[in-house]
Amino acid sequence: MTGGLTGRTIVVTGAAAGLGRAIALRLAADGATVVAADLRSSDSTVEAIVAAGGVARAVTVDVTSASAIESLIEEAAGVTGRLDAVVNNAGRFGGSRILDTTDEEWDHYLDVNLRSTFLMTRAAIRRMVDQEQRDGVRGRIVNMASQLGITGPPAALGYAVAKAGVIQLTRQVAVDYGREGIVVNAIAPGRIITGDHPGEREYLDEGTIDAATEFSLSRTPFSRLGVPEDIAGAAAFLVSDDCRFVSGAVLAVDGGWTAY
Ligand SMILES: NC(=O)c1ccc[n+]([C@@H]2O[C@H](COP(=O)([O-])OP(=O)(O)OC[C@H]3O[C@@H](n4cnc5c(N)ncnc54)[C@H](O)[C@@H]3O)[C@@H](O)[C@H]2O)c1
């Protein structure tokens, strides 16, 4: 593969499926060596990348574990001696209203969506700050937020608060490490149809629209919902050399949902 990311090593978490898989495929197509990390096996993602002529390796990791993340970053940086970017995409959607939210549920959504982003970002930057600059940049971080971290969705307390935290973590770290050449941005996807969530396969295969999909369409100025490649394109920009004076930004990729 040749492209703008040739010679770059990039970690993508949650790369076994959905948005993470699409991001991994896109970055590899742009020339990056992709470290596809997930709780589940990312072998099928790596196989698809290799079949297309790209370079990738799969790592099984729980992104809520600090020690597992240290190993992941070490392994990724060992590929070329440099860690160019990480895409903190792994996360889980769900939750409830506050009176139905148990301590365990709260901890779960904060852990998998926010603490994981904190741990990954800290471990990556610790490594990146000692790297040589390329065009003023030592490394790039892309955090997967959500439109639901900006708006107030019904009955998704833990998730929404965690994603709002991801947005503020993005801004904070961008400010704190700008002088060191660390570029940090977030993507806030709207409703993206991956085919993996309830009702989505029927929507894709038969055009059947359930209540959740109908609601999403009603809130989206575009006449369609998002596809994983919409997010992959945004990630490809945010890890590229073209992204060198954009930091602390939250890029809404939502067909206009949050502008409505
Ligand atoms: N799909 C959407 O409409 C949408 C909208 C806004 C934001 N997002 C965010 O985008 C990201 C990806 O969403 P998706 O729809 O592809 O989700 P998904 O559930 O299809 O995929 C998430 C991946 O993350 C992995 N994962 C979960 N917990 C993990 C852990 N502890 N350690 C390592 N890997 C773990 C899962 O195994 C899975 O492969 C998530 O952060 C999600 O919150 C998605």
Side-chain angles (χ1 to χ4, degrees):
M1 287 281 173
T2 55
L5 298 177
T6 301
R8 309 299 163 96
T9 301
I10 302 179
V11 175
V12 180
T13 68
L19 308 188
R21 178 183 164 92
I23 292 166
L25 292 171
R26 170 63 193 268
L27 302 189
D30 286 357
T33 295
V34 171
V35 178
D38 202 297
L39 202 53
R40 305 185 268 169
S41 166
S42 296
D43 286 352
S44 89
T45 301
V46 169
E47 282 161 17
I49 288 172
V50 170
V55 182
R57 66 171 66 186
V59 178
T60 304
V61 66
D62 180 350
V63 293
T64 65
S65 160
S67 60
I69 284 173
E70 294 299 334
S71 304
L72 168 67
I73 295 297
E74 198 174 318
E75 178 171 349
V79 176
T80 60
R82 195 181 161 92
L83 177 62
D84 294 288
V86 300
V87 181
N88 293 320
N89 164 79
R92 287 216 191 275
F93 173 71
S96 49
R97 300 195 303 165
I98 195 164
L99 293 184
D100 301 317
T101 302
T102 62
D103 296 1
E104 291 74 22
E105 180 182 307
W106 173 262
D107 288 346
H108 170 70
Y109 288 112
L110 270 287
D111 273 359
V112 73
N113 292 296
L114 181 55
R115 185 167 186 274
S116 61
T117 306
F118 157 66
L119 293 173
M120 278 291 299
T121 302
R122 185 176 63 178
I125 292 180
R126 192 175 280 142
R127 172 82 203 188
M128 288 170 173
V129 289
D130 291 330
Q131 299 181 159
E132 275 187 31
Q133 294 190 13
R134 278 180 173 154
D135 205 11
V137 175
R138 286 198 163 86
R140 293 179 173 85
I141 311 278
V142 179
N143 294 324
M144 200 58 68
S146 171
Q147 67 182 11
L148 304 184
I150 299 169
T151 62
L157 181 72
Y159 180 81
V161 171
K163 291 298 189 182
V166 168
I167 288 172
Q168 191 58 19
L169 183 146
T170 300
R171 293 192 183 111
Q172 188 67 43
V173 179
V175 167
D176 287 340
Y177 287 89
R179 287 271 196 279
E180 275 99 330
I182 308 295
V183 167
V184 192
N185 291 293
I187 298 172
R191 176 83 191 279
I192 311 297
I193 302 289
T194 63
D196 294 335
H197 301 289
E200 292 186 349
R201 195 35 63 199
E202 295 77 0
Y203 174 69
L204 289 174
D205 293 347
E206 300 150 25
T208 313
I209 298 180
D210 64 9
T213 307
E214 191 167 293
F215 173 70
S216 298
L217 275 168
S218 76
R219 292 294 302 264
T220 305
F222 272 38
S223 58
R224 68 170 177 90
L225 298 176
V227 293
E229 290 71 26
D230 294 323
I231 304 302
F237 164 67
L238 293 172
V239 300
S240 76
D241 287 354
D242 285 331
C243 183
R244 56 176 176 254
F245 204 57
V246 177
S247 198
V250 182
L251 180 54
V253 184
D254 63 1
W257 179 306
T258 47
Y260 184 14

